[in-house]
Amino acid sequence: MHPYLPHTKEDITKMLEVIGVDHIDNLFDDIPKNIRLNKELKLDKSKSELEVTKLMKQLANNNVTINEKVSFIGGGAYNHYVPALIKHLASRQEFLTAYTPYQPEMSQGTLQAIFEYQSMICELTGMDVSNASLYDGGTALAEAVFMANHANKKKDVLVSATVNPQYKDIIKTYARFKGLNYIEIKESDGCTDMENLKDLFSADSSSVIIQTPNYYGIVEKGSEVRTIMNSFKNKAMFIVSADPTSLAVLEAPVNYGADVVAGEGQGLGSPVSFGGPYLGYIAATKKNMRRMPGRIVGETVDKDGKRAYVLTLQAREQHIRREKAMSNITSNQGLVALMATIYLATMGKKGIKEVAIQSMYKAHYLADKLCNIKGITLLNSKPFFNEFVIKTKVNAKMLYEVLIEKGFFSGVVLDDHQLLVCATEVHTKEQLDSFVKEVEGIL
Amino acid sequence: MRDYNKLIKECSVKGRVGYKLPPLDVDIFDYKEYFGEDVLRKEEVDLPEVSEFQVVRHYTNLSLKNFGVESDTYPLGSCTMKYNPKINEDMAALEGFTEIHPLQEPETVQGALKLMYELAKMLEEITGMDEITLQPAAGSQGELTGLMITKAYLESKGLSHKTKIIIPDSAHGTNPATVTMAGFEAVEIKSNQNGTVSLEALEEVLDENVAGLMLTNPNTLGLFEKDIFEIADKIHQLGGVLYYDGANMNANMGIIRPGDMGFDIVHLNLHKTFGTPHGGGGPGSGPVGVKSHLIPFLPNPSIIKKEDVYKIKDTYDQSIGRVKTFYGNFGVLVRAYAYIKTLGRDGLKEASQLAVLNANYMKERLKETYNLPYDIICKHEFVLAGLKNSIEGVNTIDVAKRLIDYGVHPPTIYFPLIVEQALMIEPTETEDKESLDAYIEVLLTIAKEAVDNKELLLNAPVNATVKRLDEVTAARKPVVKW
Amino acid sequence: MKIIESLLYTKNHEWVRVEGEEAYIGVTDYAQHAMGDIVYVEMPEVDDELDAEDGLGVVESVKAASDIYSPISGTIIEINEELEDSPEIINNDPFDAFIVKITISNKSELDELLNAEEYKAYISEIEE
């Protein structure tokens, strides 16, 4: 007997009687003998909760957390403050253990939460429609690229070199098999090279993708991209990957002409969790609403005229459109989207802005102090938000490793002399100062 | 309880806050001048202004309008809505797992890497495959990864003309959708009268352009595809790849393995078979396993072990590339690892056996009252074709809605597409006999109500938080934000 | 089931109303009936050039989507903009609610289409 398996011997006997077979093994008589596994799986035997807990804690304790060291690692996963209530609300079983709200009458909780999520994503991006979530920032961009291809049937995908390298890799993978051409727009001083974009942009361009703040933390000039794209009419789509937190301060992409905004929403209430589960968000203008991948919730009324929510525009989706669907996505990141919804509600109008501004000020404070050290300079001159690249006279990897000893994860090593450093509202001045002191000591 | 019908936005009161941060302790500067007005937001983000307690009360109220596996029976066919063990939630929430950054030095995350490495090994054993990637975020992404691997493999052999992927008409909609996304062409074949792949229909579409075949086994009708060896042979003879959709793996653990049935590629749904919570739609996790000839094509990076040290490396020389940021839905992997360790080889097998027992028991008890198009032993799920005693104007949707009135979750309805009025029931192993009996009784009562007073069905639900919704207006005039 | 004598039809349940060198195209009463409440019609753009049997658009209901194919070759000269906000007009009067107006680039293609009699016979055949 096992705690998850409720059947007593007597239950089994009674049930087999109803079915009309003698033994539970007979329920597998339809499987030819030569297919069946005639041995035990090479796995451990079942364990008690006590044993499993011990085992899991051993594994967990064999990791060094970002609470044990002070971490300035960003690069697509950000350590923002996560209000305590999120975990409690998101782990309510009614949210946690439900599935896709295909029966709206008993899923109004999930449906309304998604509707609120969509509304807040639209508020941040300025877009007209958001879906219920995608896997992560990288696949969200890949889906956006496919949306553009659906819309204009063109094949050239122009991706700025300053987009997160993992997102670029994902777009490359998706594009290759779909038969699209991945073309990289060069960078200059840590920014998308607009001259190069002008050269590359053509009648065959399907989409142009930039990220802002970009991989190096620099704020891109989306309006310049749009101007270049407007220079001739070819129906190409402008796709922007924006850190949603930064959108409390930075211009909403709709206002510089983005057609689709797609990115990573982990920073909205989820821990860094060794890379997942994260939150891919995607939002678009009304024109592209019916090309959106995945689920969308709409407001409607019930028979009595009472306001309610339901999955809508489903004819785009795989369960109806099959091979002609906009995407194959089914399971999304529902619970993470719920956490983002609760986060945005909790932080609210003021809080999201304070997070953005504190992160920015702290990153700039840190950058200034680091650059006062001889042997450290900023790599780029363009305005950055809360992440920046420093050029180190000494070997960056060596610096990084020594700093781990001193109690710091100093950032992401980009090459022999470059380190990508990030700060958020969770860092204190004291931490920043002591980090600077340690770096100074090493140099 | 009063009827709660507010949006969080409607709870907003100007000036209220639900958070507090430590005061800013570093120097500030004129950021407006620094960035330039043109890249800055002109209008403030209009998010709600609510107190912490308002947030807690609001989302608690929303949760009460929802139904989870812990509420009552939730036999959603194809979704494996089994009990999600509590201990796994606690384990996944350990600081040693949540507070580690994916770009930390591998030496500082050896526990996490070991967990992933061992989970992949355990899944290789369960599926009989040679190597597993944990990167895909969900079943659909697993399918996409698998078909990308197929394509890369065929291209490496100079077989780019192979563009057709064969799919039975009983397949999940994700299969054909994935085929298109991966740049292949879907070719659908009809099932035979036993609800399984028709070898004749298969024969008709076989030619040198066949790249592969996607199959769920047991299939979406819950029936075992007995001719699997023959099917595998036919596909392999043409140089094609046989793909296993692991959505129904809950029938198979410790009993059969896709790797022993001739499959070259497998995806699993950890949120189904391995008991991780479905989260109202996700996150899932869709590991993909392959046979040795396909290993070089797996997505990079992978987790390797060298002299007891775990590393993250780009090991596959003909890799399709990356499909997901970082290494997959790690938090889901932690839960699945704990689940497999808890159940062990004995518990996993027993779980599959009991899942099949539960399905057959329900099938037998319902088949007098509901049409059972395929009256043979089923695996972990079965499909009914509406009421036996068909009543004018009463459809499967009405039965489903009436189930809601009785406080249980309806099965999957109108799928698979090849069964009219389909009710696809997957009880899972964690439902005890009493809850199965109760669910059966409800279905029998509803059948009786259909005869005696069909209005009860047609007007259902009346006991839910809302009545039937106007889905037509929702789609015609979409309102998708406040 | 309404069928109008003067129109031409396809086995995919589109109708064609020829007016000189141009033609209106829509979906039949049978099609709208089978679809149920139509919630959206995806249409091509004016000036799009189509060959016969090219995809012309998609008609969607809540739980289904049907492709419409152009019965003839030609260039789109008008789309029915009323459908953008009121797709239900197809349910109300499918033979009035055209989807596109197209130039006829190859008149001989019209000979391939069914007349009302033939379409009626086809409907009874598939209904059996």
Side-chain angles (χ1 to χ4, degrees), chain B residues 54-81:
Chain B
Q54 274 182 298
V55 174
V56 171
R57 194 168 267 171
H58 176 75
Y59 289 101
T60 300
N61 272 306
L62 289 198
S63 78
L64 297 175
K65 297 177 168 209
N66 243 20
F67 185 96
V69 167
E70 291 166 27
S71 306
D72 212 319
T73 312
Y74 201 140
L76 202 60
S78 219
C79 298
T80 315
M81 304 299 288

PDB file of all heavy atoms in Angstrom, chain B residues 54-81:
ATOM      1  N   GLN B  54      -6.592  43.626   0.590  1.00  0.00           N
ATOM      2  CA  GLN B  54      -7.534  43.604  -0.539  1.00  0.00           C
ATOM      3  C   GLN B  54      -7.099  42.590  -1.595  1.00  0.00           C
ATOM      4  O   GLN B  54      -7.918  41.871  -2.150  1.00  0.00           O
ATOM      5  CB  GLN B  54      -7.611  44.991  -1.194  1.00  0.00           C
ATOM      6  CG  GLN B  54      -8.594  45.944  -0.553  1.00  0.00           C
ATOM      7  CD  GLN B  54      -8.625  47.257  -1.324  1.00  0.00           C
ATOM      8  OE1 GLN B  54      -7.610  47.953  -1.412  1.00  0.00           O
ATOM      9  NE2 GLN B  54      -9.761  47.593  -1.890  1.00  0.00           N
ATOM     10  N   VAL B  55      -5.789  42.567  -1.851  1.00  0.00           N
ATOM     11  CA  VAL B  55      -5.273  41.608  -2.833  1.00  0.00           C
ATOM     12  C   VAL B  55      -5.550  40.183  -2.359  1.00  0.00           C
ATOM     13  O   VAL B  55      -6.045  39.344  -3.111  1.00  0.00           O
ATOM     14  CB  VAL B  55      -3.753  41.802  -3.056  1.00  0.00           C
ATOM     15  CG1 VAL B  55      -3.210  40.710  -3.974  1.00  0.00           C
ATOM     16  CG2 VAL B  55      -3.461  43.169  -3.640  1.00  0.00           C
ATOM     17  N   VAL B  56      -5.253  39.945  -1.092  1.00  0.00           N
ATOM     18  CA  VAL B  56      -5.437  38.592  -0.547  1.00  0.00           C
ATOM     19  C   VAL B  56      -6.910  38.196  -0.629  1.00  0.00           C
ATOM     20  O   VAL B  56      -7.251  37.103  -1.086  1.00  0.00           O
ATOM     21  CB  VAL B  56      -4.936  38.517   0.910  1.00  0.00           C
ATOM     22  CG1 VAL B  56      -5.329  37.192   1.553  1.00  0.00           C
ATOM     23  CG2 VAL B  56      -3.426  38.708   0.952  1.00  0.00           C
ATOM     24  N   ARG B  57      -7.769  39.100  -0.247  1.00  0.00           N
ATOM     25  CA  ARG B  57      -9.193  38.758  -0.253  1.00  0.00           C
ATOM     26  C   ARG B  57      -9.720  38.577  -1.682  1.00  0.00           C
ATOM     27  O   ARG B  57     -10.474  37.655  -1.964  1.00  0.00           O
ATOM     28  CB  ARG B  57      -9.978  39.847   0.477  1.00  0.00           C
ATOM     29  CG  ARG B  57     -11.384  39.420   0.806  1.00  0.00           C
ATOM     30  CD  ARG B  57     -12.031  40.384   1.782  1.00  0.00           C
ATOM     31  NE  ARG B  57     -11.871  39.967   3.159  1.00  0.00           N
ATOM     32  CZ  ARG B  57     -12.202  40.738   4.197  1.00  0.00           C
ATOM     33  NH1 ARG B  57     -12.675  41.948   4.009  1.00  0.00           N
ATOM     34  NH2 ARG B  57     -12.065  40.289   5.417  1.00  0.00           N
ATOM     35  N   HIS B  58      -9.273  39.436  -2.562  1.00  0.00           N
ATOM     36  CA  HIS B  58      -9.731  39.350  -3.953  1.00  0.00           C
ATOM     37  C   HIS B  58      -9.367  37.995  -4.562  1.00  0.00           C
ATOM     38  O   HIS B  58     -10.223  37.296  -5.103  1.00  0.00           O
ATOM     39  CB  HIS B  58      -9.112  40.479  -4.781  1.00  0.00           C
ATOM     40  CG  HIS B  58      -9.438  40.430  -6.245  1.00  0.00           C
ATOM     41  ND1 HIS B  58     -10.671  40.779  -6.735  1.00  0.00           N
ATOM     42  CD2 HIS B  58      -8.711  40.032  -7.322  1.00  0.00           C
ATOM     43  CE1 HIS B  58     -10.691  40.623  -8.058  1.00  0.00           C
ATOM     44  NE2 HIS B  58      -9.501  40.160  -8.444  1.00  0.00           N
ATOM     45  N   TYR B  59      -8.102  37.618  -4.476  1.00  0.00           N
ATOM     46  CA  TYR B  59      -7.694  36.379  -5.151  1.00  0.00           C
ATOM     47  C   TYR B  59      -8.170  35.131  -4.402  1.00  0.00           C
ATOM     48  O   TYR B  59      -8.369  34.087  -4.999  1.00  0.00           O
ATOM     49  CB  TYR B  59      -6.184  36.379  -5.433  1.00  0.00           C
ATOM     50  CG  TYR B  59      -5.890  37.393  -6.527  1.00  0.00           C
ATOM     51  CD1 TYR B  59      -5.377  38.649  -6.219  1.00  0.00           C
ATOM     52  CD2 TYR B  59      -6.236  37.127  -7.853  1.00  0.00           C
ATOM     53  CE1 TYR B  59      -5.183  39.605  -7.210  1.00  0.00           C
ATOM     54  CE2 TYR B  59      -6.048  38.077  -8.847  1.00  0.00           C
ATOM     55  CZ  TYR B  59      -5.524  39.309  -8.527  1.00  0.00           C
ATOM     56  OH  TYR B  59      -5.356  40.242  -9.510  1.00  0.00           O
ATOM     57  N   THR B  60      -8.403  35.284  -3.099  1.00  0.00           N
ATOM     58  CA  THR B  60      -9.031  34.173  -2.379  1.00  0.00           C
ATOM     59  C   THR B  60     -10.447  33.984  -2.906  1.00  0.00           C
ATOM     60  O   THR B  60     -10.879  32.866  -3.182  1.00  0.00           O
ATOM     61  CB  THR B  60      -9.042  34.453  -0.864  1.00  0.00           C
ATOM     62  OG1 THR B  60      -7.695  34.616  -0.430  1.00  0.00           O
ATOM     63  CG2 THR B  60      -9.676  33.291  -0.100  1.00  0.00           C
ATOM     64  N   ASN B  61     -11.146  35.088  -3.077  1.00  0.00           N
ATOM     65  CA  ASN B  61     -12.506  35.000  -3.633  1.00  0.00           C
ATOM     66  C   ASN B  61     -12.517  34.413  -5.040  1.00  0.00           C
ATOM     67  O   ASN B  61     -13.391  33.617  -5.370  1.00  0.00           O
ATOM     68  CB  ASN B  61     -13.173  36.377  -3.625  1.00  0.00           C
ATOM     69  CG  ASN B  61     -13.894  36.643  -2.319  1.00  0.00           C
ATOM     70  OD1 ASN B  61     -14.734  35.850  -1.901  1.00  0.00           O
ATOM     71  ND2 ASN B  61     -13.554  37.727  -1.658  1.00  0.00           N
ATOM     72  N   LEU B  62     -11.546  34.798  -5.837  1.00  0.00           N
ATOM     73  CA  LEU B  62     -11.479  34.214  -7.186  1.00  0.00           C
ATOM     74  C   LEU B  62     -11.235  32.706  -7.088  1.00  0.00           C
ATOM     75  O   LEU B  62     -11.829  31.917  -7.821  1.00  0.00           O
ATOM     76  CB  LEU B  62     -10.368  34.850  -8.011  1.00  0.00           C
ATOM     77  CG  LEU B  62     -10.554  36.293  -8.475  1.00  0.00           C
ATOM     78  CD1 LEU B  62      -9.596  36.595  -9.627  1.00  0.00           C
ATOM     79  CD2 LEU B  62     -11.973  36.552  -8.937  1.00  0.00           C
ATOM     80  N   SER B  63     -10.349  32.314  -6.184  1.00  0.00           N
ATOM     81  CA  SER B  63     -10.035  30.881  -6.084  1.00  0.00           C
ATOM     82  C   SER B  63     -11.293  30.093  -5.745  1.00  0.00           C
ATOM     83  O   SER B  63     -11.462  28.963  -6.185  1.00  0.00           O
ATOM     84  CB  SER B  63      -8.933  30.637  -5.053  1.00  0.00           C
ATOM     85  OG  SER B  63      -9.451  30.692  -3.741  1.00  0.00           O
ATOM     86  N   LEU B  64     -12.182  30.718  -4.981  1.00  0.00           N
ATOM     87  CA  LEU B  64     -13.396  30.006  -4.581  1.00  0.00           C
ATOM     88  C   LEU B  64     -14.360  29.797  -5.750  1.00  0.00           C
ATOM     89  O   LEU B  64     -15.323  29.057  -5.648  1.00  0.00           O
ATOM     90  CB  LEU B  64     -14.091  30.748  -3.436  1.00  0.00           C
ATOM     91  CG  LEU B  64     -13.246  30.830  -2.147  1.00  0.00           C
ATOM     92  CD1 LEU B  64     -13.937  31.685  -1.105  1.00  0.00           C
ATOM     93  CD2 LEU B  64     -12.945  29.444  -1.591  1.00  0.00           C
ATOM     94  N   LYS B  65     -14.092  30.457  -6.849  1.00  0.00           N
ATOM     95  CA  LYS B  65     -14.909  30.235  -8.060  1.00  0.00           C
ATOM     96  C   LYS B  65     -14.248  29.218  -8.965  1.00  0.00           C
ATOM     97  O   LYS B  65     -14.543  29.162 -10.160  1.00  0.00           O
ATOM     98  CB  LYS B  65     -15.042  31.545  -8.834  1.00  0.00           C
ATOM     99  CG  LYS B  65     -15.752  32.641  -8.095  1.00  0.00           C
ATOM    100  CD  LYS B  65     -15.712  33.868  -8.984  1.00  0.00           C
ATOM    101  CE  LYS B  65     -16.630  34.940  -8.484  1.00  0.00           C
ATOM    102  NZ  LYS B  65     -17.102  35.762  -9.590  1.00  0.00           N
ATOM    103  N   ASN B  66     -13.303  28.496  -8.442  1.00  0.00           N
ATOM    104  CA  ASN B  66     -12.550  27.542  -9.244  1.00  0.00           C
ATOM    105  C   ASN B  66     -12.720  26.141  -8.671  1.00  0.00           C
ATOM    106  O   ASN B  66     -13.112  25.972  -7.518  1.00  0.00           O
ATOM    107  CB  ASN B  66     -11.063  27.901  -9.186  1.00  0.00           C
ATOM    108  CG  ASN B  66     -10.518  28.284 -10.536  1.00  0.00           C
ATOM    109  OD1 ASN B  66     -11.266  28.636 -11.434  1.00  0.00           O
ATOM    110  ND2 ASN B  66      -9.217  28.209 -10.670  1.00  0.00           N
ATOM    111  N   PHE B  67     -12.358  25.177  -9.485  1.00  0.00           N
ATOM    112  CA  PHE B  67     -12.487  23.784  -9.086  1.00  0.00           C
ATOM    113  C   PHE B  67     -11.151  23.107  -9.369  1.00  0.00           C
ATOM    114  O   PHE B  67     -10.635  23.182 -10.490  1.00  0.00           O
ATOM    115  CB  PHE B  67     -13.600  23.149  -9.919  1.00  0.00           C
ATOM    116  CG  PHE B  67     -13.933  21.733  -9.548  1.00  0.00           C
ATOM    117  CD1 PHE B  67     -14.987  21.448  -8.686  1.00  0.00           C
ATOM    118  CD2 PHE B  67     -13.203  20.669 -10.071  1.00  0.00           C
ATOM    119  CE1 PHE B  67     -15.306  20.135  -8.355  1.00  0.00           C
ATOM    120  CE2 PHE B  67     -13.522  19.351  -9.745  1.00  0.00           C
ATOM    121  CZ  PHE B  67     -14.575  19.093  -8.886  1.00  0.00           C
ATOM    122  N   GLY B  68     -10.578  22.474  -8.361  1.00  0.00           N
ATOM    123  CA  GLY B  68      -9.299  21.790  -8.553  1.00  0.00           C
ATOM    124  C   GLY B  68      -9.431  20.303  -8.297  1.00  0.00           C
ATOM    125  O   GLY B  68     -10.489  19.820  -7.885  1.00  0.00           O
ATOM    126  N   VAL B  69      -8.340  19.609  -8.510  1.00  0.00           N
ATOM    127  CA  VAL B  69      -8.313  18.161  -8.278  1.00  0.00           C
ATOM    128  C   VAL B  69      -8.671  17.825  -6.836  1.00  0.00           C
ATOM    129  O   VAL B  69      -9.251  16.792  -6.538  1.00  0.00           O
ATOM    130  CB  VAL B  69      -6.906  17.614  -8.626  1.00  0.00           C
ATOM    131  CG1 VAL B  69      -6.725  16.203  -8.112  1.00  0.00           C
ATOM    132  CG2 VAL B  69      -6.686  17.646 -10.128  1.00  0.00           C
ATOM    133  N   GLU B  70      -8.306  18.741  -5.937  1.00  0.00           N
ATOM    134  CA  GLU B  70      -8.589  18.469  -4.524  1.00  0.00           C
ATOM    135  C   GLU B  70     -10.042  18.773  -4.172  1.00  0.00           C
ATOM    136  O   GLU B  70     -10.506  18.402  -3.097  1.00  0.00           O
ATOM    137  CB  GLU B  70      -7.634  19.277  -3.643  1.00  0.00           C
ATOM    138  CG  GLU B  70      -6.216  18.746  -3.761  1.00  0.00           C
ATOM    139  CD  GLU B  70      -5.157  19.684  -3.180  1.00  0.00           C
ATOM    140  OE1 GLU B  70      -5.471  20.459  -2.273  1.00  0.00           O
ATOM    141  OE2 GLU B  70      -4.010  19.621  -3.670  1.00  0.00           O
ATOM    142  N   SER B  71     -10.769  19.431  -5.061  1.00  0.00           N
ATOM    143  CA  SER B  71     -12.175  19.731  -4.789  1.00  0.00           C
ATOM    144  C   SER B  71     -13.022  18.470  -4.886  1.00  0.00           C
ATOM    145  O   SER B  71     -13.754  18.124  -3.968  1.00  0.00           O
ATOM    146  CB  SER B  71     -12.713  20.762  -5.788  1.00  0.00           C
ATOM    147  OG  SER B  71     -11.925  21.916  -5.813  1.00  0.00           O
ATOM    148  N   ASP B  72     -12.899  17.794  -6.010  1.00  0.00           N
ATOM    149  CA  ASP B  72     -13.629  16.536  -6.211  1.00  0.00           C
ATOM    150  C   ASP B  72     -13.122  15.896  -7.499  1.00  0.00           C
ATOM    151  O   ASP B  72     -12.182  16.403  -8.115  1.00  0.00           O
ATOM    152  CB  ASP B  72     -15.143  16.775  -6.256  1.00  0.00           C
ATOM    153  CG  ASP B  72     -15.924  15.574  -5.687  1.00  0.00           C
ATOM    154  OD1 ASP B  72     -15.536  14.424  -5.980  1.00  0.00           O
ATOM    155  OD2 ASP B  72     -16.901  15.790  -4.956  1.00  0.00           O
ATOM    156  N   THR B  73     -13.783  14.821  -7.918  1.00  0.00           N
ATOM    157  CA  THR B  73     -13.298  14.055  -9.065  1.00  0.00           C
ATOM    158  C   THR B  73     -13.209  14.926 -10.326  1.00  0.00           C
ATOM    159  O   THR B  73     -14.117  15.702 -10.621  1.00  0.00           O
ATOM    160  CB  THR B  73     -14.240  12.854  -9.308  1.00  0.00           C
ATOM    161  OG1 THR B  73     -14.429  12.218  -8.045  1.00  0.00           O
ATOM    162  CG2 THR B  73     -13.630  11.871 -10.277  1.00  0.00           C
ATOM    163  N   TYR B  74     -12.131  14.749 -11.062  1.00  0.00           N
ATOM    164  CA  TYR B  74     -11.788  15.636 -12.171  1.00  0.00           C
ATOM    165  C   TYR B  74     -11.268  14.760 -13.314  1.00  0.00           C
ATOM    166  O   TYR B  74     -10.103  14.834 -13.678  1.00  0.00           O
ATOM    167  CB  TYR B  74     -10.694  16.589 -11.669  1.00  0.00           C
ATOM    168  CG  TYR B  74     -10.470  17.903 -12.374  1.00  0.00           C
ATOM    169  CD1 TYR B  74     -10.208  19.062 -11.631  1.00  0.00           C
ATOM    170  CD2 TYR B  74     -10.465  18.013 -13.763  1.00  0.00           C
ATOM    171  CE1 TYR B  74      -9.955  20.287 -12.238  1.00  0.00           C
ATOM    172  CE2 TYR B  74     -10.219  19.234 -14.380  1.00  0.00           C
ATOM    173  CZ  TYR B  74      -9.960  20.367 -13.614  1.00  0.00           C
ATOM    174  OH  TYR B  74      -9.707  21.574 -14.221  1.00  0.00           O
ATOM    175  N   PRO B  75     -12.146  13.919 -13.896  1.00  0.00           N
ATOM    176  CA  PRO B  75     -11.649  12.870 -14.800  1.00  0.00           C
ATOM    177  C   PRO B  75     -11.470  13.339 -16.239  1.00  0.00           C
ATOM    178  O   PRO B  75     -11.999  12.751 -17.180  1.00  0.00           O
ATOM    179  CB  PRO B  75     -12.750  11.814 -14.708  1.00  0.00           C
ATOM    180  CG  PRO B  75     -13.995  12.623 -14.518  1.00  0.00           C
ATOM    181  CD  PRO B  75     -13.613  13.860 -13.759  1.00  0.00           C
ATOM    182  N   LEU B  76     -10.710  14.402 -16.402  1.00  0.00           N
ATOM    183  CA  LEU B  76     -10.523  15.037 -17.693  1.00  0.00           C
ATOM    184  C   LEU B  76      -9.639  14.161 -18.576  1.00  0.00           C
ATOM    185  O   LEU B  76      -8.433  14.075 -18.362  1.00  0.00           O
ATOM    186  CB  LEU B  76      -9.883  16.405 -17.457  1.00  0.00           C
ATOM    187  CG  LEU B  76     -10.023  17.482 -18.510  1.00  0.00           C
ATOM    188  CD1 LEU B  76     -11.470  17.841 -18.774  1.00  0.00           C
ATOM    189  CD2 LEU B  76      -9.260  18.727 -18.064  1.00  0.00           C
ATOM    190  N   GLY B  77     -10.276  13.535 -19.567  1.00  0.00           N
ATOM    191  CA  GLY B  77      -9.552  12.599 -20.417  1.00  0.00           C
ATOM    192  C   GLY B  77      -8.361  13.241 -21.091  1.00  0.00           C
ATOM    193  O   GLY B  77      -8.425  14.386 -21.518  1.00  0.00           O
ATOM    194  N   SER B  78      -7.264  12.493 -21.146  1.00  0.00           N
ATOM    195  CA  SER B  78      -6.039  12.927 -21.799  1.00  0.00           C
ATOM    196  C   SER B  78      -5.197  13.877 -20.953  1.00  0.00           C
ATOM    197  O   SER B  78      -4.130  14.278 -21.367  1.00  0.00           O
ATOM    198  CB  SER B  78      -6.342  13.608 -23.144  1.00  0.00           C
ATOM    199  OG  SER B  78      -5.374  13.223 -24.068  1.00  0.00           O
ATOM    200  N   CYS B  79      -5.717  14.262 -19.788  1.00  0.00           N
ATOM    201  CA  CYS B  79      -5.005  15.262 -18.987  1.00  0.00           C
ATOM    202  C   CYS B  79      -4.418  14.709 -17.700  1.00  0.00           C
ATOM    203  O   CYS B  79      -3.625  15.372 -17.038  1.00  0.00           O
ATOM    204  CB  CYS B  79      -5.920  16.440 -18.678  1.00  0.00           C
ATOM    205  SG  CYS B  79      -6.464  17.278 -20.181  1.00  0.00           S
ATOM    206  N   THR B  80      -4.818  13.486 -17.327  1.00  0.00           N
ATOM    207  CA  THR B  80      -4.278  12.812 -16.139  1.00  0.00           C
ATOM    208  C   THR B  80      -4.297  13.717 -14.909  1.00  0.00           C
ATOM    209  O   THR B  80      -3.261  14.137 -14.390  1.00  0.00           O
ATOM    210  CB  THR B  80      -2.847  12.275 -16.397  1.00  0.00           C
ATOM    211  OG1 THR B  80      -2.840  11.628 -17.669  1.00  0.00           O
ATOM    212  CG2 THR B  80      -2.441  11.274 -15.342  1.00  0.00           C
ATOM    213  N   MET B  81      -5.517  14.010 -14.461  1.00  0.00           N
ATOM    214  CA  MET B  81      -5.681  14.902 -13.312  1.00  0.00           C
ATOM    215  C   MET B  81      -5.586  14.096 -12.016  1.00  0.00           C
ATOM    216  O   MET B  81      -6.568  13.908 -11.299  1.00  0.00           O
ATOM    217  CB  MET B  81      -7.029  15.619 -13.409  1.00  0.00           C
ATOM    218  CG  MET B  81      -7.212  16.388 -14.710  1.00  0.00           C
ATOM    219  SD  MET B  81      -5.990  17.681 -14.966  1.00  0.00           S
ATOM    220  CE  MET B  81      -6.538  18.887 -13.754  1.00  0.00           C
TER     221      MET B  81
END
